[in-house]
């Protein structure tokens, strides 16, 4: 009897095809589950995007419900080429008359001209900070400052002297300026102000500390009748008046004259400094919120709508949680508040809610509304102690966003439920795969047995046919 080497050879049946189709039918529920899981994962992804958009909205609403936003001030100068101004914490709204007669300046000295790369002599030079009298006849050392001595060698060029001065920490800055006459050493105070003047004395190795030769060419001390270097600028304080009040400042950056106001002097002259509420920053905060709100509403609408023209449903179409969130957000936005005085609804500010739920900004109307800052502030962040639903809109937007994205919020809860379904489906898929594998083994064994039996019957039939033929021929 012939042996069977492949399923189906004995019976003539396409056993492999039969088994494959039977197993495919058995696995159909797995395909259905995997398809449903893919849909759920898409929904989870959509909720992730919505949660992120809610967080962005929450941050924008928090800015509108922050007192700092509404307390921000801005300052302007009528002549920004003469002085610039910045308003900070503690500054108050008002107008200030500024009259600057003199800018703060550092002391500056320059030496005689030297040949390029020439040496200047050897010895030591001592630099001391302090204040000169009006005619430079007396010098008062600066409190807390210590004279600095610098050793100069015979091989030091003007550039070497410059570098030694700059690394000494003497409170001055040195540079080499070269023109058609040669190179000069220029030394100036590091800081402006009359208390930051300086004098330079030398111990010249040539034995003479007061002439203009050798190292003493870099000396400057009028109190000792030494003026080898030339004073180009005298150390001076800025002199100004603010609303008639005389002020003297060692720097051109005036920070303490008016609370919270920083004035940067650029040149002598007069200017008017005006301080008022920063309407531009409030306007930007409102527009930033509108942008985040519209982004969220558009995202939720696209995910929950049914497109009749394309016959396609959004990822969350019919999802009660998503639809509910959309409805709640719309209700808060449309409800307004009675705390805003002249403004009770967003439309009063030029923020109009369209049919799609998004907000359109009428810039002219919003700009006009910024003129009533107190009412505007109350509409967004006012607090009603008797009715939380009448609180300012920004406060309610923020509270709602915190609630829906919180640990037990609708988005978190819904996402957890969807994820649980994914886990359950994956577990069921594993079970069905195991069952399908067992089914395939069972069916394949049955058809193998059938194939073997059919092969035996076919062999028997062939044998009987041959035997009958032999008997008939005899």
């Amino acid at each position: 009897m012939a042996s069977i080497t492949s399923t189906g050879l004995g019976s003539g049946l396409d056993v492999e095809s039969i088994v494959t189709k039977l197993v495919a039918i058995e696995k159909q529920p797995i395909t259905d589950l995997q398809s449903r899981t893919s849909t759920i994962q898409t929904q989870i992804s959509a909720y992730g995007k919505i949660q992120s958009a809610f967080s962005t909205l929450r941050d924008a609403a928090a800015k509108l419900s922050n007192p700092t936003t509404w307390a921000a001030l801005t300052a302007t100068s009528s002549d920004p080429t003469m002085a610039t101004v910045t308003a900070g914490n503690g500054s108050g709204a008002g107008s200030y008359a500024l009259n600057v007669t003199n800018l703060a300046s550092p002391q500056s000295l320059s030496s005689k001209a030297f040949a390029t790369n020439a040496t200047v002599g050897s010895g030591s030079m001592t630099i001391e900070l302090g204040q000169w009298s009006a005619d430079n006849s007396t010098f008062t050392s600066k409190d807390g400052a210590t004279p600095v001595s610098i050793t100069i060698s015979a091989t030091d060029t003007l550039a070497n002297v410059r570098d030694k001065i700059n690394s000494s920490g003497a409170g001055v800055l040195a540079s080499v300026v070269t023109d058609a006459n040669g190179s000069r050493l220029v030394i100036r105070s590091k800081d402006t102000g009359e208390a930051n003047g300086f004098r330079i004395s030398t111990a010249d190795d040539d034995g003479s500390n007061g002439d203009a030769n050798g190292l003493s060419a870099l000396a400057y001390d009028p109190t000792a009748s030494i003026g080898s270097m030339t004073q180009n600028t005298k150390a001076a304080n800025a002199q100004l008046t603010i609303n008639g009040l005389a002020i003297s400042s060692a720097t051109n950056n005036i920070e303490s004259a008016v609370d919270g106001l920083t004035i940067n002097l650029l040149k002598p002259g007069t200017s008017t400094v005006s301080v008022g509420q920063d309407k531009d920053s409030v306007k930007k905060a409102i527009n930033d919120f509108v942008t985040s709100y519209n982004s969220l509403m558009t995202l939720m609408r696209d995910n929950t709508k049914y497109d009749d023209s394309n016959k396609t449903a959004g990822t969350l179409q019919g999802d009660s949680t998503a639809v509910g969130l959309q409805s709640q957000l719309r209700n808060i936005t449309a409800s307004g508040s009675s705390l805003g005085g002249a403004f009770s609804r967003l439309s009063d500010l030029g923020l109009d809610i369209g049919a799609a739920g998004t907000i359109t900004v009428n810039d002219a109307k919003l700009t006009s509304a910024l003129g009533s800052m107190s009412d505007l502030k109350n509409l967004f962040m006012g607090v009603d102690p008797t009715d939380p639903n009448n609180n300012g809109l920004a406060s309610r937007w923020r509270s709602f966003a915190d609630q829906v994205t919180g640990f037990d919020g609708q988005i978190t809860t819904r996402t957890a439920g969807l994820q649980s379904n994914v886990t359950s489906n994956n577990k069921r898929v594993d079970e069905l795969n195991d069952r399908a594998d067992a089914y395939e083994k069972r069916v394949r064994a049955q058809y193998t047995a059938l194939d073997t039996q059919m092969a035996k019957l076919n062999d028997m039939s062939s044998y009987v046919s041959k035997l009958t033929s032999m008997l008939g021929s005899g």
Side-chain angles (χ1 to χ4, degrees), residues 416-436:
L418 290 171
Q419 188 58 56
S420 177
N421 289 341
V422 169
T423 302
S424 178
N425 285 354
N426 288 338
K427 182 178 179 181
R428 181 58 178 157
V429 165
D430 290 340
E431 294 172 352
L432 291 176
N433 271 321
D434 290 342
R435 191 175 77 177

Side-chain angles (χ1 to χ4, degrees), residues 307-319:
D307 190 335
D308 192 57
S309 61
N310 296 324
K311 307 299 181 185
T312 56
T315 300
L316 301 175
Q317 202 267 331
D319 186 292

Side-chain angles (χ1 to χ4, degrees), residues 368-413:
S368 177
L370 289 167
S372 303
M373 195 67 77
S374 178
D375 288 347
L376 198 61
K377 175 183 176 182
N378 285 333
L379 178 65
F380 282 107
M381 63 167 294
V383 176
D384 188 334
T386 62
D387 182 10
N389 292 323
N390 191 43
N391 285 344
L393 289 171
S395 299
R396 286 152 60 196
W397 283 323
R398 176 181 176 178
S399 178
F400 179 63
D402 283 337
Q403 184 266 314
V404 301
T405 59
F407 181 76
D408 293 324
Q410 290 107 302
I411 292 179
T412 306
T413 301

Side-chain angles (χ1 to χ4, degrees), residues 290-458:
V290 169
T291 299
S292 66
Y293 180 89
N294 287 346
S295 178
L296 173 58
M297 290 301 292
T298 299
L299 179 63
M300 295 181 71
R301 185 183 70 246
D302 290 346
N303 276 280
T304 57
K305 73 178 182 180
Y306 179 80
D307 190 335
D308 192 57
S309 61
N310 296 324
K311 307 299 181 185
T312 56
T315 300
L316 301 175
Q317 202 267 331
D319 186 292
S320 60
T321 299
V323 173
L325 290 174
Q326 193 175 21
S327 176
Q328 288 174 275
L329 188 57
R330 281 182 181 233
N331 289 340
I332 292 173
T333 305
S335 62
S337 171
S338 65
L339 301 176
F343 313 116
S344 60
R345 296 184 182 277
L346 290 179
S347 57
D348 297 333
L349 317 177
L351 308 184
D352 300 313
I353 305 172
T358 53
I359 298 173
T360 302
V361 180
N362 182 323
D363 187 74
K365 197 170 181 180
L366 176 59
T367 300
S368 177
L370 289 167
S372 303
M373 195 67 77
S374 178
D375 288 347
L376 198 61
K377 175 183 176 182
N378 285 333
L379 178 65
F380 282 107
M381 63 167 294
V383 176
D384 188 334
T386 62
D387 182 10
N389 292 323
N390 191 43
N391 285 344
L393 289 171
S395 299
R396 286 152 60 196
W397 283 323
R398 176 181 176 178
S399 178
F400 179 63
D402 283 337
Q403 184 266 314
V404 301
T405 59
F407 181 76
D408 293 324
Q410 290 107 302
I411 292 179
T412 306
T413 301
R414 179 60 175 145
T415 301
L418 290 171
Q419 188 58 56
S420 177
N421 289 341
V422 169
T423 302
S424 178
N425 285 354
N426 288 338
K427 182 178 179 181
R428 181 58 178 157
V429 165
D430 290 340
E431 294 172 352
L432 291 176
N433 271 321
D434 290 342
R435 191 175 77 177
D437 289 344
Y439 175 76
E440 181 178 5
K441 290 178 182 178
R442 187 170 67 253
V443 170
R444 192 174 294 280
Q446 290 172 345
Y447 273 92
T448 299
L450 173 63
D451 198 44
T452 301
Q453 189 63 34
M454 290 291 291
K456 291 179 179 180
L457 292 174
N458 287 337

Side-chain angles (χ1 to χ4, degrees), residues 121-356:
S122 61
S124 65
M125 57 192 304
T126 300
I127 301 174
E128 183 180 8
L129 295 179
Q131 182 172 340
W132 292 100
S133 60
D135 59 0
N136 280 11
S137 61
T138 61
F139 182 84
T140 304
S141 298
K142 183 178 181 179
D143 289 342
T146 303
V148 175
S149 182
I150 303 168
T151 300
I152 307 298
S153 66
T155 58
D156 283 338
T157 63
L158 212 59
N160 297 137
V161 175
R162 173 200 64 197
D163 295 341
K164 286 185 175 182
I165 291 174
N166 288 337
S167 62
S168 69
V172 297
L173 299 173
S175 59
V176 174
V177 177
T178 302
D179 57 23
N181 297 317
S183 297
R184 303 174 191 273
L185 183 67
V186 177
I187 306 175
R188 66 176 178 85
S189 308
K190 182 178 179 181
D191 299 314
T192 60
E194 59 188 20
N196 291 307
F198 61 94
R199 62 180 176 182
I200 303 174
S201 59
T202 59
D204 197 336
D205 286 347
D206 67 5
S208 178
N209 299 325
D211 61 9
N213 298 313
L215 188 60
S216 57
L218 302 182
Y220 180 81
D221 185 2
T223 62
S225 300
I226 299 174
S228 303
M229 295 189 79
T230 302
Q231 179 172 266
N232 305 113
T233 305
K234 186 178 178 66
N237 283 358
Q239 303 296 332
L240 65 150
T241 63
I242 298 179
N243 283 350
L245 178 65
I247 296 172
S248 178
S249 171
T251 73
N252 292 311
N253 197 45
I254 315 300
E255 295 184 335
S256 58
V258 180
D259 286 342
L261 204 61
T262 299
I263 303 171
N264 184 36
L265 306 180
L266 302 175
K267 67 179 183 181
T270 59
S271 176
T272 299
V273 172
S274 300
V275 181
Q277 286 185 299
D278 190 353
K279 295 180 181 180
D280 287 341
S281 67
V282 173
K283 185 177 183 179
K284 183 179 184 303
I286 293 173
N287 279 312
D288 287 347
F289 175 80
V290 169
T291 299
S292 66
Y293 180 89
N294 287 346
S295 178
L296 173 58
M297 290 301 292
T298 299
L299 179 63
M300 295 181 71
R301 185 183 70 246
D302 290 346
N303 276 280
T304 57
K305 73 178 182 180
Y306 179 80
D307 190 335
D308 192 57
S309 61
N310 296 324
K311 307 299 181 185
T312 56
T315 300
L316 301 175
Q317 202 267 331
D319 186 292
S320 60
T321 299
V323 173
L325 290 174
Q326 193 175 21
S327 176
Q328 288 174 275
L329 188 57
R330 281 182 181 233
N331 289 340
I332 292 173
T333 305
S335 62
S337 171
S338 65
L339 301 176
F343 313 116
S344 60
R345 296 184 182 277
L346 290 179
S347 57
D348 297 333
L349 317 177
L351 308 184
D352 300 313
I353 305 172

